[in-house]
Amino acid sequence: MKELKVLILEDSPAEADFLESFLRKLGCTDIRITTMLKDAVAAYDEELPDICLIDIYLGDKPDGILFAETINEHREQKRPFIFLTSANDNTTFRLAKFTSPYNYLLKPYNPLELQYAIELALSKFKQEAAAPPAQALPPASETLFIKKGNLLQRIAIDDIRYIEVDGKYSKVVCHTEKFVIQQSLKDLQIQLPALQFCRVHRNYIVNVKEVTKINVINNEIFFRDGETLFFSRRYIDEFLQAFKIFK
């Protein structure tokens, strides 16, 4: 890890000192510590680190989540990141999960856990970078065929509830079953009815016909069966245009 460039977002001096000391023991010399979201974003743009270690909560604000979303928006310059947090509630984990972190550690963690988490994150990122591009699906119509095993299964487009990123694949979630396909969300959205399927997050496309409630404060979408997903503020304007809203 001698050549590794690490960016840390951590507002606890004790935690930041521990991370820096630990990384130096591993041989890292290029370490940047930030305590505020804006400084972390600026440092990322300036230095393009090899990996980021992110505390989810700075004070009582989940600024670590916002930083992760910023990293994901870099696309060609995206780098792996690991969440470090003492918050063990389900809501925090779900919010973090939607940013697709490369690992998630609960404090307190031991040094070996952190070392393995870093190595796994770097390995996963390297594999993603080397993955071949996904192949395109046929144009969308009222129905489509999805390959499942040795069969091509016909499904109605209206039966699709939402589509989510699943590693380097996409998961098409229908009412009765799920399908994993080698297709990016961007390419899928182009082939689906534009007024019916909206991008609500970098990891999700939803069928607006399945949406029953929207919490614009907590960024939460409710489906017919009671299941919920979180949406990103980046897509809120386009998403809300799919509905007639009376205030």
Side-chain angles (χ1 to χ4, degrees):
M1 295 190 182
K2 291 182 180 180
E3 303 299 324
L4 201 63
K5 185 184 296 185
V6 184
L7 174 59
I8 299 171
L9 176 58
E10 173 62 71
D11 64 344
S12 167
E15 293 284 351
D17 288 345
F18 166 77
L19 289 172
E20 181 177 16
S21 175
F22 171 72
L23 289 169
R24 293 196 183 282
K25 287 179 181 178
L26 293 180
C28 298
T29 57
D30 196 341
I31 303 168
R32 176 77 176 270
I33 298 175
T34 57
T35 60
M36 300 176 63
L37 173 60
K38 65 177 183 178
D39 294 336
V41 172
Y44 189 95
D45 290 335
E46 293 171 4
E47 303 178 13
L48 196 60
D50 297 306
I51 192 168
C52 298
L53 306 180
I54 305 174
D55 185 11
I56 292 180
Y57 286 98
L58 304 182
D60 59 352
K61 297 180 179 179
D63 283 349
I65 301 291
L66 298 179
F67 182 42
E69 290 183 344
T70 300
I71 293 174
N72 287 330
E73 291 171 0
H74 277 71
R75 299 180 184 178
E76 288 80 8
Q77 294 186 321
K78 177 185 173 182
R79 293 295 185 269
F81 57 90
I82 297 172
F83 281 130
L84 311 174
T85 183
S86 57
N88 58 6
D89 59 287
N90 187 55
T91 299
T92 297
F93 176 71
R94 290 179 67 190
L95 284 170
K97 180 182 177 182
F98 292 142
T99 66
S100 299
Y102 286 74
N103 225 310
Y104 187 99
L105 293 181
L106 288 174
K107 302 175 182 178
Y109 46 81
N110 65 55
L112 194 58
E113 285 178 319
L114 180 58
Q115 179 180 345
Y116 289 168
I118 292 173
E119 291 182 6
L120 286 173
L122 293 170
S123 176
K124 180 181 178 181
F125 179 74
K126 184 177 181 180
Q127 290 174 1
E128 288 179 353
Q135 297 180 356
L137 287 176
S141 58
E142 293 184 1
T143 63
L144 54 82
F145 285 87
I146 296 182
K147 190 174 187 299
K148 188 173 184 180
N150 295 324
L151 300 175
L152 293 176
Q153 185 164 331
R154 187 171 189 167
I155 65 169
I157 288 180
D158 283 348
D159 194 44
I160 299 173
R161 297 176 59 242
Y162 61 90
I163 306 171
E164 66 174 310
V165 171
D166 187 7
K168 61 181 180 179
Y169 304 98
S170 292
K171 182 186 295 181
V172 180
V173 181
C174 299
H175 288 283
T176 58
E177 57 188 319
K178 302 175 181 179
F179 304 88
V180 177
I181 58 177
Q182 293 182 336
Q183 183 78 20
S184 70
L185 285 187
K186 181 179 179 181
D187 290 339
L188 278 172
Q189 188 174 16
I190 293 173
Q191 299 173 82
L192 292 169
L195 297 179
Q196 184 176 348
F197 289 86
C198 290
R199 188 76 171 262
V200 298
H201 192 279
R202 67 179 296 273
N203 290 337
Y204 290 99
I205 294 172
V206 301
N207 182 350
V208 299
K209 293 182 178 180
E210 292 294 311
V211 176
T212 58
K213 291 186 293 185
I214 304 169
N215 188 323
V216 295
I217 302 300
N218 295 332
N219 299 350
E220 194 167 12
I221 299 169
F222 294 79
F223 291 95
R224 295 177 188 271
D225 64 353
E227 184 178 1
T228 65
L229 293 176
F230 288 99
F231 62 88
S232 170
R233 304 299 297 184
R234 174 185 176 187
Y235 299 97
I236 186 171
D237 291 336
E238 179 181 352
F239 176 49
L240 293 181
Q241 287 177 7
F243 305 91
K244 292 182 179 179
I245 300 175
F246 295 85
K247 299 182 180 179

